[in-house]
Amino acid sequence: MKNIDSAFRYIRLFTAVVVLSSITFSCLCLYWSLKTIGRQRDRVYVLGNGQAFLASSSSRQENLPAEARDHILRFHELFFTLDPDESAIRETTAKALYLADRSAKKVYDNLSERDFYSQLISANVNQSIRMDSVKVDFSNYPYSFLYFGKQLIVRPTSQTTRNLVSKGMLREISRSQNNSHGLIIERWEILENRDLKTEVRN
């Protein structure tokens, strides 16, 4: 009987140790899993050109200066990069107009009324733009900006470089497929657009 009692106590002790070990191990696994999931939530992988890039999440205010500058750059590239193709012009200007309010549409309408786009197509002219700098004032909302860039206008016989300065305001809106930065340009106007030099093409 003593042997049976001893064996029962040993079995009970062994079972208690196994159960406590299992519970401890399960709790540690659960803690480790939750910690890993928490770390993974802060990671986003972006696929570009067939490669995965790690992106970390952050608040909008942290990224606002970079997003504002990129939004202004993107708008000017779309609005002023033109090829002598009616459908290409329509497509790029439509994308640009999603990034700005009626002030940009007004400039587009004025250019259309003056047959600017038709003349560009008929004369086989290519137009591109390069940003020199952009200044955004984040001290007051909506944020005011000044854009400085160079336009390159390539004709069959010549190449003209023009200086472009524009200004406007930036207001925050909801992000969308057509406006990934969630910003819109308001009260946009061109302050200067003058020829710097013209070179004869060989």
Side-chain angles (χ1 to χ4, degrees), residues 71 98-100 173-184:
H71 185 87
Y98 278 114
L99 308 180
I173 59 170
S174 300
R175 296 178 193 268
S176 68
Q177 187 175 354
N178 294 313
N179 191 334
S180 58
H181 293 120
L183 296 165
I184 192 162

Side-chain angles (χ1 to χ4, degrees), residues 36-58 63:
T36 303
I37 290 168
R39 283 198 305 265
Q40 292 299 322
R41 281 183 183 160
D42 292 335
R43 294 183 180 179
V44 177
Y45 289 91
V46 180
L47 190 63
N49 295 328
Q51 293 183 332
F53 299 97
L54 178 64
S56 59
S57 62
S58 57
N63 288 332

Side-chain angles (χ1 to χ4, degrees), residues 179-194:
N179 191 334
S180 58
H181 293 120
L183 296 165
I184 192 162
I185 294 171
E186 297 181 320
R187 289 176 268 173
W188 179 66
E189 61 178 296
I190 298 169
L191 300 177
E192 182 183 303
N193 192 9
R194 61 182 176 86

Side-chain angles (χ1 to χ4, degrees), residues 5-200:
D5 286 343
S6 298
F8 181 71
R9 279 198 301 271
Y10 286 133
I11 289 170
R12 191 171 56 186
L13 179 63
F14 178 75
T15 304
V17 168
V18 169
V19 169
L20 285 172
S21 299
S22 298
I23 291 171
T24 304
F25 181 74
S26 299
C27 289
L28 287 172
C29 287
L30 182 63
Y31 171 76
W32 179 79
S33 299
L34 291 173
K35 198 171 181 181
T36 303
I37 290 168
R39 283 198 305 265
Q40 292 299 322
R41 281 183 183 160
D42 292 335
R43 294 183 180 179
V44 177
Y45 289 91
V46 180
L47 190 63
N49 295 328
Q51 293 183 332
F53 299 97
L54 178 64
S56 59
S57 62
S58 57
S59 68
R60 180 178 178 93
Q61 289 307 116
E62 288 176 30
N63 288 332
L64 186 60
E67 287 197 76
R69 287 179 176 86
D70 192 59
H71 185 87
I72 296 163
L73 169 65
R74 180 79 176 138
F75 167 75
H76 284 82
E77 280 182 348
L78 289 169
F79 197 88
F80 290 103
T81 301
L82 303 170
D83 292 314
D85 181 290
E86 187 177 353
S87 60
I89 291 170
R90 196 182 305 115
E91 184 180 337
T92 55
T93 51
K95 287 178 183 177
L97 294 177
Y98 278 114
L99 308 180
D101 69 352
R102 293 180 64 183
S103 58
K105 180 71 165 65
K106 186 178 177 182
V107 173
Y108 172 75
D109 290 340
N110 288 339
L111 291 171
S112 296
E113 287 173 11
R114 294 188 344 233
D115 289 328
F116 171 77
Y117 299 109
S118 300
Q119 291 171 18
L120 185 139
I121 294 165
S122 62
N124 197 26
V125 176
N126 289 80
Q127 182 175 291
S128 60
I129 192 165
R130 186 191 76 240
M131 183 179 79
D132 291 333
S133 65
V134 61
K135 296 178 181 177
V136 186
D137 180 12
F138 293 103
S139 60
N140 294 307
Y141 182 80
Y143 317 114
S144 60
F145 71 85
L146 271 173
Y147 173 93
F148 303 88
K150 297 286 188 302
Q151 277 184 281
L152 185 65
I153 301 165
V154 180
R155 298 179 179 87
T157 57
S158 65
Q159 181 174 290
T160 302
T161 304
R162 306 193 81 184
N163 193 52
L164 177 74
V165 181
S166 70
K167 72 171 186 176
M169 310 292 283
L170 278 177
R171 180 169 56 88
E172 295 180 21
I173 59 170
S174 300
R175 296 178 193 268
S176 68
Q177 187 175 354
N178 294 313
N179 191 334
S180 58
H181 293 120
L183 296 165
I184 192 162
I185 294 171
E186 297 181 320
R187 289 176 268 173
W188 179 66
E189 61 178 296
I190 298 169
L191 300 177
E192 182 183 303
N193 192 9
R194 61 182 176 86
D195 289 357
L196 293 176
K197 62 178 180 178
T198 299
E199 299 169 317
V200 176

